C-alpha cells in the first residue's frame, strides 16, 4: 500500500497490473505496489528480491548464484523452476519479459533504474495468458519524476563486491528521459561463484496533443557468471564455501549478452499499443559432465493493442478494456557432451525451436452501487510449439504441439467506507510445459505426448485499507491445480510429468505502520499449506505430501528511521520455516532467521550537489542457512549455502 503520509502529498496512485488502471484499494485481487530499491538508501540492489521480500505470498531464493538466476514463487507457482522464472508473468514498462513458452529471466532488469514494482498474486491467465500464476510488473524511471541531473553511486563490500552505477535524467514541458549504466563485479562467498555484469538502460517519454510515446532500450553483458553447483548435506557440513568437484573442473557457469528495445504508445482516447524485440545470446556449462554444455541464440518479438473505454448499461457505469496480443520466440539451440576434464566429445542437439502465443482478452468493471463494484474478464489463447531437429543423430526430435485455452476471472469489491475495502474473487489459469520440460522420457524423440498444461482454479477473499497511521492488506486464498507439472529423474536426467492434483491454500498479511513522521514499521507474513492431492510417483503414493521447496510460514519485518536532514537507519528480519527438498518429503531443510541492517546520511553541497554515504550488514548473527534448495536434485545435492556475515559500504554523489 501507499504510505499514509505520502497520500497527503502525491497524486492518487493507479496500478496497471489488472490492465484496467485503478486505485489499488478498489481492485478485487491481492495486489501490492512497492517502492523500488533505488528509493531505499543503503540496499545492495543485487537482485529483484530487494523489492519483493516485503510482499506477502512471494518467496525468493538463489540471490547469490547469478548463473542460475533468482528463483521467485508466488503462492507456490514458480517453485519447481531449477533456474530462472517459470509459472509467473514478468513485465517491464508494459512489455513482456516472459517468453511464449512460459520461461522468464530477470537478469536484465536494472534495479537502479526501477521506479516501482507491482505484484499481482494468484492466477491471472484471464489477463496475461500462459504461465500466469501471478504477475510482477516493473516500471523504470523515465525522468518525469526524477530530479534532473547526474548521479554516480559506488558500492563495495565483502567477498569482493564492487559496483558502480551512473545515471542522467532530464525533463522539459512535454518530454523527459532517464539514462543509466552499471557495472558489477562480485567474487562470491563460495568457490566458483564469480560474476561480472554490465547493464545499460534508457527510457524516454514524449507527449504531444493527447498522444504519448515511450521508447525503452536496455543492454546486458554478463561475460562471467560462475556456478558452484549444489552440495549434499555432508559436503555442507565439511565446507560450506566449497564448489562441487565437477563445477571446478568444468568451470561451470554461463555468459549472456542481450539487447532489447520497445515502443509504447497511448492516447487520450483510450488506445494503447506496444512493440518489442530482444536478442539474447547464451552459453552455459552445467556443473556435471555429459550432455551439459548448452547454448542458444534467441529472437523474441511481439506486439499488442488494447482499447479502454467507458459506457453505461442503463443506469450502471461500466469501464471496459479489450485487446489482442501476439508474441513469438525463435531459439537456435545447440548442446554438446563433455567429459570430466571439460573436453567436448560430441554434439547432442542442434535444433530450431519456435513458440508462438496469441491471445484476445476483454475485461469490464461495473459500478453496481456507490460502494459495490463488479469485475468480469475472459481471455482466449492459442500457444504453439515446434522443434526442427537438424542433427538426427539419435532419431528425429522434431515435433509440434498446439494448445487452445480459455480463462476467466470475476471479482466483487465493496468499499465499506473511504478507508476500508473488502473483496472476493475467482478465476482460472493455465500453464503449458516449457521447451525444456517437453522431452520424452521414453527416448523416442519429439515432444512428450503425455505431458499436458496444468489448470488452476483460484478462490480468494481479502481486505485492504488504512486506519490512522496503519496501512494493511489481508488475503485468504485457495488454489486447486489439476495436472500439476512436476520433475522426476530417469537415468541421471530430469524429465517432467503431470502429477494429478495439488492444493494451495493460505493467508497473507501485509502491514505498514507510521508511529511517527520519521519511523516506519513494515511487516509481511504468509501462512500457507501447499500439498499434493493426487500424485503417484514411480509407483509410490505421494498424496498429502507437501510441495517441496516451499515454507509453511515466512515473515519479513523492517524498522526504518529517516530524519529530514538525510540521516537514516533500518533493521530487517527475515524468518523462513522449514521446507522439504524432495517430493517424498524425506529430506527436511530446517528454517532460519536472518537479520540485516543499514544506516547512512546525506549532505547538501551547495544548491546543486548532494553527497550520500552508507554502511550495511547482512546476516549479522552469522547464521548458516541455504540461499537456495535445489528441489529433487540428483544424489541429494540440494543445498546452495548462503554467505555468513557480510558487510558493504557505499558513496553516492548527485549533481
Amino acid at each position: 500500500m501507499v504510505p499514509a503520509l505520502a497520500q497527503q502529498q502525491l497524486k492518487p496512485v493507479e496500478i496497471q497490473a489488472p490492465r484496467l488502471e485503478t486505485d489499488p484499494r478498489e481492485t478485487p485481487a491481492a495486489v501490492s505496489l512497492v517502492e523500488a530499491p533505488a528509493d531505499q538508501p543503503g540496499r545492495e540492489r543485487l537482485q529483484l528480491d530487494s523489492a519483493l521480500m516485503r510482499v506477502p505470498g512471494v518467496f525468493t531464493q538463489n540471490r547469490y548464484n547469478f548463473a542460475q538466476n533468482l528463483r521467485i514463487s508466488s503462492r507456490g507457482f514458480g517453485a519447481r523452476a531449477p533456474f530462472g522464472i517459470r509459472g509467473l508473468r514478468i513485465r517491464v514498462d508494459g512489455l513482456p519479459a516472459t517468453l511464449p513458452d512460459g520461461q522468464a529471466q530477470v537478469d536484465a532488469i536494472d534495479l537502479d533504474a526501477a521506479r516501482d514494482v507491482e505484484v499481482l498474486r494468484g492466477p491471472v491467465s484471464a489477463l496475461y495468458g500462459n504461465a500466469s500464476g501471478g504477475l510482477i510488473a516493473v516500471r523504470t524511471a523515465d525522468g518525469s519524476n526524477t530530479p534532473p541531473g547526474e548521479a554516480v553511486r559506488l558500492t563495495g563490500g565483502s567477498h569482493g563486491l564492487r559496483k558502480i552505477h551512473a545515471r542522467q535524467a532530464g525533463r522539459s514541458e512535454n518530454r523527459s528521459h532517464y539514462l543509466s549504466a552499471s557495472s558489477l563485479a562480485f567474487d562470491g562467498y563460495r568457490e566458483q561463484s564469480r560474476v561480472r555484469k554490465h547493464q545499460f538502460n534508457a527510457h524516454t517519454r514524449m507527449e504531444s496533443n493527447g498522444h504519448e510515446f515511450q521508447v525503452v532500450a536496455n543492454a546486458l553483458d554478463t561475460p562471467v557468471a560462475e556456478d558452484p553447483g549444489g552440495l549434499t548435506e555432508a559436503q555442507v557440513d565439511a565446507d560450506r564455501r566449497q564448489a562441487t568437484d565437477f563445477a571446478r573442473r568444468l568451470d561451470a557457469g554461463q555468459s549472456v549478452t542481450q539487447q532489447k528495445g520497445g515502443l509504447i504508445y497511448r492516447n487520450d482516447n483510450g488506445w494503447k499499443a506496444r512493440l518489442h524485440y530482444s536478442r539474447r545470446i547464451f552459453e552455459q556449462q552445467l556443473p556435471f559432465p555429459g550432455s551439459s554444455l548448452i547454448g542458444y541464440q534467441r529472437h523474441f518479438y511481439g506486439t499488442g493493442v488494447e482499447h479502454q473505454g467507458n459506457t453505461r448499461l442503463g443506469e450502471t457505469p461500466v469501464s471496459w478494456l479489450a485487446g489482442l496480443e501476439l508474441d513469438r520466440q525463435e531459439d537456435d539451440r545447440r548442446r554438446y557432451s563433455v567429459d570430466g576434464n571439460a573436453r567436448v566429445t560430441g554434439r547432442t542437439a542442434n535444433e530450431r525451436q519456435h513458440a508462438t502465443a496469441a491471445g484476445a482478452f476483454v475485461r469490464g468493471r461495473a459500478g453496481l452501487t456507490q460502494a459495490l463494484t463488479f469485475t468480469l474478464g475472459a481471455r482466449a489463447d492459442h500457444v504453439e510449439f515446434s522443434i526442427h531437429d537438424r542433427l538426427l543423430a539419435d532419431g528425429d526430435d522434431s515435433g509440434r504441439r498446439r494448445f487452445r485455452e480459455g480463462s476467466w476471472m470475476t471479482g466483487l469489491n465493496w468499499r465499506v467506507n473511504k478507508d476500508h475495502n473488502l473483496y472476493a474473487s475467482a478465476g482460472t489459469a493455465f500453464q503449458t510445459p516449457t521447451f525444456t520440460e517437453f522431452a520424452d522420457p521414453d527416448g523416442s524423440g519429439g515432444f512428450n505426448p503425455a505431458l499436458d498444461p496444468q489448470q488452476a482454479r483460484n478462490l480468494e477473499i481479502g481486505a485492504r485499507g488504512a486506519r490512522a497511521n496503519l496501512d494493511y492488506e489481508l488475503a485468504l486464498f485457495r488454489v486447486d491445480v489439476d495436472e500439476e507439472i512436476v520433475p522426476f529423474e530417469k537415468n541421471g536426467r530430469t524429465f517432467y510429468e503431470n502429477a494429478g492434483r495439488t492444493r494451495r491454500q493460505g493467508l497473507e498479511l501485509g502491514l505498514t505502520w507510521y508511529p511517527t513522521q520519521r519511523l516506519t514499521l513494515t511487516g509481511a507474513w504468509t501462512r500457507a499449506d501447499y500439498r499434493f492431492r493426487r500424485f503417484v510417483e514411480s509407483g509410490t503414493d505421494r498424496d498429502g505430501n507437501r510441495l517441496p521447496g516451499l515454507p509453511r510460514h515466512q515473515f519479513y519485518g523492517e524498522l526504518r528511521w529517516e530524519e529530514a536532514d538525510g540521516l537514516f537507519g533500518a533493521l530487517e528480519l527475515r524468518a523462513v520455516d522449514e521446507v522439504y527438498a524432495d517430493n517424498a518429503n524425506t529430506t527436511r531443510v530446517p528454517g532460519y532467521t536472518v537479520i540485516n541492517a543499514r544506516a547512512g546520511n546525506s549532505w547538501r553541497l551547495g544548491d546543486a550537489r548532494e553527497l550520500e554515504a552508507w554502511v550495511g550488514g547482512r546476516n549479522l548473527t552469522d547464521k548458516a542457512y541455504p540461499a537456495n534448495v535445489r528441489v529433487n536434485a540428483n544424489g541429494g545435492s540440494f543445498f546452495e549455502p548462503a554467505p555468513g556475515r557480510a558487510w558493504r559500504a557505499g558513496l553516492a554523489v548527485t549533481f
Side-chain angles (χ1 to χ4, degrees), residues 14-19 30-37 48 51-52 55 58 72 74 85 88-98 104 106 109-111 113-121 124 127-128 134-141 272:
E14 288 189 340
I15 56 174
Q16 300 178 7
R19 294 232 134 145
V31 59
S32 301
L33 177 65
V34 296
E35 60 183 334
L48 190 58
L52 299 179
V55 180
V58 175
I72 306 171
S74 174
I85 313 298
L88 304 177
R89 299 296 292 187
I90 310 294
R91 291 173 74 89
V92 182
D93 294 320
L95 303 175
T98 300
V106 294
I109 296 177
D110 185 356
L111 293 183
R115 173 180 168 185
D116 54 44
V117 182
E118 295 178 33
V119 182
L120 182 58
R121 308 188 297 280
V124 288
L127 296 173
Y128 294 100
L135 172 77
I136 298 172
V138 180
R139 285 188 290 190
T140 64
K272 182 179 179 181

Side-chain angles (χ1 to χ4, degrees), residues 130-433:
N130 184 23
S132 298
L135 172 77
I136 298 172
V138 180
R139 285 188 290 190
T140 64
D142 59 16
S144 60
N145 61 343
T146 305
E150 296 74 37
V152 177
R153 174 186 168 103
L154 303 172
T155 304
S158 301
H159 315 306
L161 173 63
R162 301 163 325 267
K163 184 178 180 182
I164 180 170
H165 172 261
R167 63 94 169 161
Q168 198 277 330
R171 63 174 180 252
S172 61
E173 183 178 352
N174 59 359
R175 68 176 57 198
S176 61
H177 71 270
Y178 186 98
L179 307 174
S180 68
S182 65
S183 180
L184 168 68
F186 185 43
D187 295 336
Y189 169 71
R190 296 175 61 195
E191 296 177 317
Q192 192 66 28
S193 57
R194 182 173 58 107
V195 64
R196 301 292 183 265
K197 182 178 178 180
H198 315 291
Q199 290 181 270
F200 171 77
N201 195 75
H203 191 163
T204 183
R205 176 175 170 269
M206 297 161 283
E207 293 184 62
S208 177
N209 300 321
H211 302 271
E212 180 186 279
F213 294 89
Q214 294 184 56
V215 179
V216 296
N218 60 64
L220 166 71
D221 178 29
T222 306
V224 177
E226 295 176 336
D227 184 358
L231 302 178
T232 65
E233 188 172 5
Q235 289 173 320
V236 172
D237 291 341
D239 181 4
R240 295 179 53 82
R241 303 188 66 166
Q242 69 174 303
T244 67
D245 179 54
F246 279 128
R248 292 191 300 267
R249 289 163 59 184
L250 301 177
D251 192 20
Q254 66 172 231
S255 62
V256 185
T257 60
Q258 177 176 297
Q259 304 85 37
K260 181 175 182 178
L263 172 67
I264 304 102
Y265 165 79
R266 58 166 56 91
N267 64 30
D268 291 346
N269 295 322
W271 286 98
K272 182 179 179 181
R274 51 98 171 163
L275 290 168
H276 73 94
Y277 168 80
S278 65
R279 175 175 177 264
R280 186 177 178 95
I281 300 176
F282 176 93
E283 185 171 298
Q284 182 171 29
Q285 172 61 63
L286 298 171
F288 54 84
S291 183
S292 57
L293 176 59
I294 59 178
Y296 63 76
Q297 179 171 303
R298 170 177 295 150
H299 301 277
F300 174 36
Y301 53 92
T303 186
V305 61
E306 58 191 63
H307 183 53
Q308 182 172 334
N310 299 289
T311 187
R312 302 187 75 87
L313 294 177
E315 298 299 317
T316 304
V318 176
S319 300
W320 59 271
L321 173 79
L324 300 169
E325 292 183 315
L326 177 64
D327 293 290
R328 184 170 173 83
Q329 164 191 355
E330 299 178 355
D331 288 4
D332 188 352
R333 285 185 171 264
R334 60 196 183 280
R335 191 163 188 148
Y336 300 89
S337 179
V338 299
D339 64 19
N341 295 313
R343 290 191 298 261
V344 175
T345 59
R347 177 179 287 190
T348 59
N350 182 10
E351 299 176 342
R352 287 281 291 175
Q353 299 180 349
H354 292 171
T356 303
F361 56 91
V362 62
R363 180 175 169 88
R365 184 175 66 237
L368 304 181
T369 69
Q370 289 267 337
L372 201 61
T373 304
F374 175 69
T375 301
L376 182 66
R379 179 173 172 128
D381 282 281
H382 175 90
V383 186
E384 182 172 324
F385 300 84
S386 67
I387 293 179
H388 173 55
D389 187 352
R390 298 179 295 197
L391 186 61
L392 304 178
D394 299 314
D396 190 353
D397 283 336
S398 301
R400 184 183 302 269
R401 291 202 68 179
R402 299 183 180 92
F403 304 102
R404 292 180 174 88
E405 301 287 345
S407 309
W408 59 269
M409 61 83 60
T410 186
L412 198 63
N413 188 82
W414 176 33
R415 189 173 60 200
V416 180
N417 54 45
K418 66 182 181 65
D419 296 320
H420 303 282
N421 288 263
L422 301 175
Y423 71 87
S425 66
T428 64
F430 74 97
Q431 183 180 156
T432 68

Side-chain angles (χ1 to χ4, degrees), residues 532-606:
F532 293 111
R533 299 286 291 178
R534 190 173 66 241
F535 179 34
V536 177
E537 182 183 41
S538 302
T540 303
D541 189 349
R542 304 296 190 201
D543 287 8
N545 283 14
R546 285 172 50 191
L547 270 64
L550 296 167
R552 288 176 297 184
H553 295 270
Q554 61 169 323
F555 173 79
Y556 171 83
E558 180 189 65
L559 174 66
R560 185 168 57 176
W561 167 57
E562 295 178 289
E563 288 288 344
D565 61 3
L567 187 65
F568 72 89
L571 188 67
E572 294 179 334
L573 182 146
R574 188 190 188 203
V576 176
D577 197 11
E578 67 177 21
V579 304
Y580 286 105
D582 55 355
N583 294 339
N585 287 185
T586 56
T587 301
R588 173 182 166 273
V589 183
Y592 57 87
T593 299
V594 177
I595 298 174
N596 310 317
R598 64 187 191 277
N601 200 3
S602 61
W603 300 268
R604 178 68 65 178
L605 305 176

